[in-house]
Amino acid sequence: MSEYLVRGALLTCDFGSHARKLNLPLSHGIYIKEKAQILEDDCIVDDNISYFGVCTCETPPCDTETVTLQKYGDAGKDGATITGCKCCPEIIGKWRDCMERNIYGGNVKTVTTDSYLVCKYGGLIQPVSSGQEEEE
């Protein structure tokens, strides 16, 4: 069953080496479990969407910087790094497969765990978690 995405949801890109948290600098005033809900337009790179580590697609963005990062999941292992073009997505359109919801007397399109974004370089950006889970 799908869940609504909130600030802090974990996202991945098919071609990115690292998962990243979804951000919402300014709340829309809609909350789930006291966390700000994500809407269809919340897909701005650097505001909502961060870079996803190193891009592994066949034609990565050639104008981005080269980065060296610790491999995802290999925290504390000596020399476990990955180097390549920074995975800076270029989002095509808005969140897709959103759910329409009536809030405050108006319909808004809300993002769920079934929603996704498309990157110009071929990657699909999808939620791994809704962000609603309890933080430790």
Side-chain angles (χ1 to χ4, degrees), residues 3-6 8-11 113 126-133:
E3 293 183 327
Y4 295 114
L5 260 58
V6 296
L10 192 62
L11 305 177
T113 50
Q126 301 171 311
V128 174
S129 72
S130 69
Q132 293 186 42
E133 50 281 331

Side-chain angles (χ1 to χ4, degrees), residues 14-83:
D14 291 344
F15 294 123
S17 63
H18 290 66
R20 297 289 189 226
K21 286 189 175 184
L22 179 59
N23 189 23
L24 187 63
L26 185 61
S27 169
H28 303 288
I30 306 166
Y31 296 90
I32 295 177
K33 297 182 182 178
E34 299 181 14
K35 296 182 181 184
Q37 188 171 2
I38 304 300
L39 302 182
E40 177 186 40
D41 291 332
D42 298 327
C43 55
I44 308 299
V45 174
D46 293 332
D47 283 350
N48 309 116
I49 311 292
S50 182
Y51 78 100
F52 292 96
V54 172
C55 186
T56 62
C57 76
E58 290 182 19
T59 56
C62 58
D63 58 344
T64 62
E65 65 184 286
T66 298
V67 293
T68 299
L69 303 169
Q70 188 166 15
K71 283 188 176 177
Y72 191 68
D74 287 340
K77 293 185 180 177
D78 261 353
T81 61
I82 184 169
T83 300

